[in-house]
Amino acid sequence: MNHDFDVVSAARNWRFKDVRQVSSDIAGEVFASDVLDMDELRELVSKPVWKSLQATIEKGAPLDPSIADTIALAMKKWALEKGATHYTHWFHPLTGYTAEKHDSFFTPISDGKVIASFTGKELIQAEPDASSFPSGGLRATFEARGYTAWDPTSPAFIVRHSNGATLCIPTAFASWTGEALDLKTPLLRSIEALNKSAQRALKYFGVQASKVSSTLGAEQEYFLIDEEFYFRRPDLVMTGRTLFGAKPPRGQELEDHYFGSIPDRVLSFMTDVENQLYALGIPVKTRHNEVAPGQYEIAPIFEPSNIAADHQQLVMQVLKNTARRYGMVALLHEKPFAGINGSGKHCNWSMSTDTGINLLEPGDTPHDNLQFLFFCAAVIKAVDLHQDLLRISVASASNDHRLGANEAPPAIMSIFLGDQLTDIFERLANGKGGSGKKVGVLELGTPVLPPLPKHAGDRNRTSPFAFTGNKFEFRAVGSSQSISFPITVLNTIVADAIDALMDSVEAKMKKKMGFEQAALETIKETYAQHKRIVFNGDGYSAAWHKEAAKRGLLNLRTAVDAIERFTDEKNVKLFTRLGVLNEREIYARQEIMYDIYFKQVNIEGETTEWVAQTQILPGALSYLAELSEIEVKSRAAERTIKQVVEATDALSDALEKLKAQNAELGGDEVHEKAHHMRDNVLPAMAEVRKAADALERIMADKYWPLPSYREMLFVK
């Protein structure tokens, strides 16, 4: 069968002939060179304008519209010097991706000339077509007006392409009636909610701070495959994952890929990516091979969560765009290949003051660190009370293929504290106090190697929410999703928990109890009430599933199970009470999540049917036709023909069942459609795949129409 498709030749034309040479002067020449950061902006505007803007960014003061023209002029001057010809309001609609509409700086005037123009009005507000983005019923299709509003807390930046550059201005996106149509607006609201709650507590601890914000570092996992294989796989092009593919003789069994030597082609790609990200001010720190063949990771150090969310979207964009220069495609889907590790985006979350204090830093004696224990207890309470919201925040059709597999945490939410911290909380709850677990030194048995500081507890990669020293690592976040909603949920639930703990503390203080004793008693009570959420064992084990059920923990196995809980009364009250989402915005987001789930699985079902019907089944029938022409009596021929006939018939039968399910929608309401996809289409797809994968193992290679796992995963 001919594997040389025109689309592959077309794809090759996009590849740069030579690998780009990138600068090694990261600190002096590259880092943040395409970012209009605060230091550079300060040089471009007057001192009063600078101080006004600084108050907005650092202290949350209302933005003074009168300074907009001055800032716009400075932005334009800087952008033109950087080679930009256009500007755009860059925003995060509820698609999970970013959006932009480019406008030129240049405006025609008389005599056939042009001038460069950019005003304060154009900086502060733009008007994209809101009807073209998902709104969950907040906007009718004929109601097109929407607004993007400049977010001064996230710096403007330059995005470059082969023939130019564009000034990107981070913005919020709202409907004409004021509802949030994006992921940024609720995130900013949640940051403010956390700030208020944390500041309330810190006053009692004697900490002076103007602002408390969440911080985040996101570890982005991804696969790289050769673009020739990608464009020969309609399932990858259409859905981001392989809908067919027999297990290769070798996968990740040898455990030799993780942290292994990085192939030169891949390392050149990574270096190019990092240089671009450095220019955008993104503090990437780590790169390495991940567990599965063809799988890699890039990770920045922590940043303020709003900026981290913007940067994470840029990381995904740069990964995808740059891969093509090296003849590869970056796959960000959570489970592009069955049977091997999928990809996540571990979110390392903490809280810090503007004075540099990490509120989740335990110090050398965490048992004596009342402030740390207080905020840690708040996190424990938050995760236990709102297991459903954490699961909802990572719910998607794609992440369902990953959660619960051998490389990802289960859908059951739990907290890993480690031996030392668990012991401290247990001793507090039992009235003992102190710490029974001591930090020691690890001796390696040879004088050549130095003794190593030994932590009081191990790490646990099977936990969905693990304490890792001075932060919590939310491991359930999917590799393809925006991190904005998971951060929004974390900020909101922890803010609520801090308020609840402070209510308890203040109530005790009214009864003449001192603050320290009141805080200590509250921490004890909180841990005793919510210790069921703490689990330090193997989250992958069947025993944990049984134990979690005994503890009364939720196990929302599918995205649909989770999405249903979004509009529960407690969740609506939580978001509205803290001003993060109003009721209409919550219901709208639930509607959108259902709709995206339905559409993603529907596309997968239709693609499965199409590829099986037009490529795999004809290939099998052609192979049968060739086998039927064999005239020599042979047990091998008879046996092969029998196997191929049985597998081909099984494929045909399964395909007919899938066709029937694809023809149905399950109902008129979007949640009914989502249930139909989960309960009927996905199982029918699985049967088609089972039959097709069996065929791949016995068909002659020349008749199999798709690149195999062996080719895609191991050819670099």
Side-chain angles (χ1 to χ4, degrees), residues 72 267 277 326 358 361 388 476 542 595 641:
L267 191 55
L277 295 178
Y326 296 84
N358 181 353
E361 173 59 62
D388 56 342
D595 190 54
I641 290 172

Side-chain angles (χ1 to χ4, degrees), residues 533-545:
I533 201 68
V534 177
F535 177 66
N536 293 337
D538 183 1
Y540 296 167
S541 68
W544 168 233
H545 284 247

Side-chain angles (χ1 to χ4, degrees), residues 416-465:
F416 169 81
L417 291 179
D419 294 342
Q420 183 188 37
L421 195 51
T422 301
D423 178 67
I424 290 170
F425 275 108
E426 287 289 341
R427 292 173 73 89
L428 279 174
N430 296 329
K432 296 180 180 178
S435 176
K437 300 285 184 179
K438 302 298 183 182
V439 176
V441 175
L442 187 66
E443 299 285 353
L444 298 179
T446 171
V448 176
L449 298 175
L452 302 176
K454 182 181 179 181
H455 291 88
D458 204 349
R459 295 183 68 180
N460 189 330
R461 67 184 301 272
T462 72
S463 173
F465 202 81

Side-chain angles (χ1 to χ4, degrees), residues 200-248:
R200 176 187 173 188
L202 288 177
K203 288 179 182 177
Y204 289 95
F205 288 103
V207 175
Q208 299 294 320
S210 301
K211 188 176 182 181
V212 176
S213 181
S214 57
T215 60
L216 198 107
E219 304 168 18
Q220 177 70 61
E221 295 174 346
Y222 61 97
F223 281 83
L224 289 173
I225 68 169
D226 194 285
E227 65 182 7
E228 295 199 22
F229 302 138
Y230 176 81
F231 286 104
R232 292 172 181 168
R233 294 285 312 217
D235 49 357
L236 277 176
V237 175
M238 293 291 103
T239 73
R241 74 181 181 102
T242 53
L243 303 175
F244 305 93
K247 186 179 182 298

Side-chain angles (χ1 to χ4, degrees), residues 535-582:
F535 177 66
N536 293 337
D538 183 1
Y540 296 167
S541 68
W544 168 233
H545 284 247
K546 294 178 181 178
E547 172 65 20
K550 289 181 182 178
R551 296 187 185 191
L553 302 183
L554 295 174
N555 188 2
L556 304 173
R557 295 180 180 273
T558 71
V560 174
D561 295 327
I563 296 167
E564 288 173 352
R565 305 291 294 266
F566 198 2
T567 52
D568 286 358
E569 184 179 2
K570 82 166 181 74
N571 295 333
V572 174
K573 286 183 176 179
L574 169 69
F575 284 116
T576 54
R577 181 172 66 253
L578 293 182
V580 175
L581 291 167
N582 64 37

Side-chain angles (χ1 to χ4, degrees), residues 243-244 605 608-609 611-613 616 647 650-659 681-695:
L243 303 175
F244 305 93
T608 300
E609 177 186 331
V611 174
Q613 182 70 61
I616 298 175
L651 175 63
S652 181
D653 293 343
L655 183 56
E656 291 305 308
K657 293 177 181 177
L658 175 61
K659 289 178 181 177
V681 173
L682 282 172
M685 287 170 56
E687 289 301 310
V688 172
R689 175 169 191 157
K690 180 181 178 181
D693 290 356
L695 267 172

